[in-house]
Amino acid sequence: MLGPYREVLRTPHTPSMELFGFVGRLPLSMIGLGSVLLIVGAYPDGSYGLGGTVAAVGAVATAILGPILGRLADRYGQRKVLIPVVIMFAAGAAMFIIAVRSHAAPWVLYVAGAIAGGFIPPVGSMLRARWAYLLEGSSRLPTALAMESVIEELCFILGPVLVTVLSTAGHATLGMIVAAGFAVVGSLMLATQARTEPPPGHGGEVPRGARSPIRIPGLMILCVVGMAMGVILGTFELVLTAFSEQQGRPAMAGVLIAALAVGSMLSGIVWGTIDWIAPLNRRLALLLSALTIATLPALVITNVWVMAVIVAVLGIAVSPTLITTFTICENIVPREQANEGFTWIGTMIALGVAVGTSLSGITTDRYTANLAFGVATVAALLAAAVVWLGRRQLQARGRHLTADSSYGYPELNV
């Protein structure tokens, strides 16, 4: 089963690239939960609502600046973008930690969170762009993209457990400090991997007047899917923690979150080895439909061990959905704009995580943890409906662009 992945990693210089990429994006599953735990523990009247709202502000900043960073990486190269981004992120993260420990006013937390969130290095998107460059036209590319999703799931297994242990068993700020350190070190080391980096304007120079790929209807749909997946992950990450506390088993929070990620990771490993016959757009629609149904039992389950089984089953649909989403993106976005295309989806996932964390946190504070799982149900249902209605837009189109390109979509010639 692992043979296709071994073949992918035989690509020259990619093992070290993946190692540094893993370190650089491990914080993606740590920073959101870590900031919530830090705020709740540091403020006398701290709540999940406040922590989730601060995380949402950071994610909005990510959604605004992320695609811009991707566009700059397409034009000037990843290394020239990563280094200043890492500096800004480190400054924002340090400001946030100091502000929380000083019991600063909420608006200070929002400002610091926005700086850190806006400049969080888009490591996952850059790695996918590197694989698209290294394996362009190869049958191994879908397996490489599947591997990226599996590795991200591994991050979601290790990250929440690690940040929870560091934040609760050690010093309250240790979880956030370690997460920020991983992001800085991993991103800087990835920047040194010049032999796997796509050259600026790979596949053709990006014209200065070229339209952003977000104008592609298919990518708009994928961004909706990305945001919905983020909402689902953010909701379950926070609500499983609150659920464990309400059931008197707070130590089970890490186990429940890990169960979700394990189910997703294992299904992703299998998914990447199968030569599917069904078209990508139909697969995505079916996966989102299955994901919607899989969230329903969480609304009523009260036993933590039964919940662990439920979230593991739910996780089976998560990684394949992300794999299919990024594979479609690679098919419909011009390769000259691969960084920006992948970054749009990545930032929408990050935004969705924050939105899901915020909405589910508020719902948990006002009602119950079980009811808060409904935030994920609604997100999955809306995404499924959008994909079913717009699945024709998710078919591969032209791959090159000009300054006035409409990407092969006549409806954009307006």
Side-chain angles (χ1 to χ4, degrees), residues 150-232:
V150 169
I151 292 175
E152 285 184 350
E153 295 303 331
L154 181 59
C155 290
F156 274 94
I157 292 173
L158 300 178
V161 177
L162 179 59
V163 75
T164 300
V165 171
L166 292 173
S167 298
T168 57
H171 194 276
T173 60
L174 190 57
M176 284 296 293
I177 291 174
V178 171
F182 280 157
V184 170
V185 172
S187 300
L188 289 178
M189 294 305 295
L190 179 63
T192 66
Q193 303 297 297
R195 287 174 292 190
T196 60
E197 179 183 354
H202 166 61
E205 185 67 29
V206 180
R208 291 190 176 275
R211 300 176 179 181
S212 170
I214 192 57
R215 296 175 66 92
I216 302 174
L219 184 57
M220 294 180 189
I221 294 173
L222 296 180
C223 284
V224 172
V225 174
M227 185 167 184
M229 295 304 296
V231 169
I232 294 167

Side-chain angles (χ1 to χ4, degrees), residues 48-275:
Y48 287 105
L50 174 62
T53 303
V54 171
V57 170
V60 169
T62 302
I64 293 173
L65 289 182
I68 297 175
L69 298 179
R71 192 172 184 87
L72 292 174
D74 284 322
R75 185 177 296 278
Y76 300 109
Q78 293 184 6
R79 182 163 52 91
K80 290 183 178 180
V81 172
L82 267 178
I83 294 175
V85 164
V86 167
I87 294 173
M88 291 297 297
F89 166 76
M95 187 187 306
F96 175 77
I97 293 172
I98 293 171
V100 174
R101 297 307 301 169
S102 302
H103 298 91
W107 70 267
V108 180
L109 303 185
Y110 295 145
V111 172
I115 295 174
F119 289 96
I120 189 168
V123 174
S125 301
M126 288 185 171
L127 283 170
R128 288 183 171 92
R130 288 178 182 235
W131 282 117
Y133 160 64
L134 293 169
L135 299 180
E136 181 180 341
S138 170
S139 60
R140 293 179 294 166
L141 179 56
T143 302
L145 296 178
M147 183 179 66
E148 289 302 315
S149 293
V150 169
I151 292 175
E152 285 184 350
E153 295 303 331
L154 181 59
C155 290
F156 274 94
I157 292 173
L158 300 178
V161 177
L162 179 59
V163 75
T164 300
V165 171
L166 292 173
S167 298
T168 57
H171 194 276
T173 60
L174 190 57
M176 284 296 293
I177 291 174
V178 171
F182 280 157
V184 170
V185 172
S187 300
L188 289 178
M189 294 305 295
L190 179 63
T192 66
Q193 303 297 297
R195 287 174 292 190
T196 60
E197 179 183 354
H202 166 61
E205 185 67 29
V206 180
R208 291 190 176 275
R211 300 176 179 181
S212 170
I214 192 57
R215 296 175 66 92
I216 302 174
L219 184 57
M220 294 180 189
I221 294 173
L222 296 180
C223 284
V224 172
V225 174
M227 185 167 184
M229 295 304 296
V231 169
I232 294 167
L233 293 173
T235 296
F236 273 83
E237 182 178 282
L238 184 138
V239 179
L240 287 173
T241 303
F243 172 82
S244 299
E245 291 183 356
Q246 290 183 2
Q247 301 303 317
R249 304 287 296 277
M252 285 292 295
V255 175
L256 292 175
I257 295 172
L260 174 66
V262 167
S264 182
M265 185 184 72
L266 294 178
S267 67
I269 291 173
V270 175
W271 190 271
T273 64
I274 298 175
D275 187 11

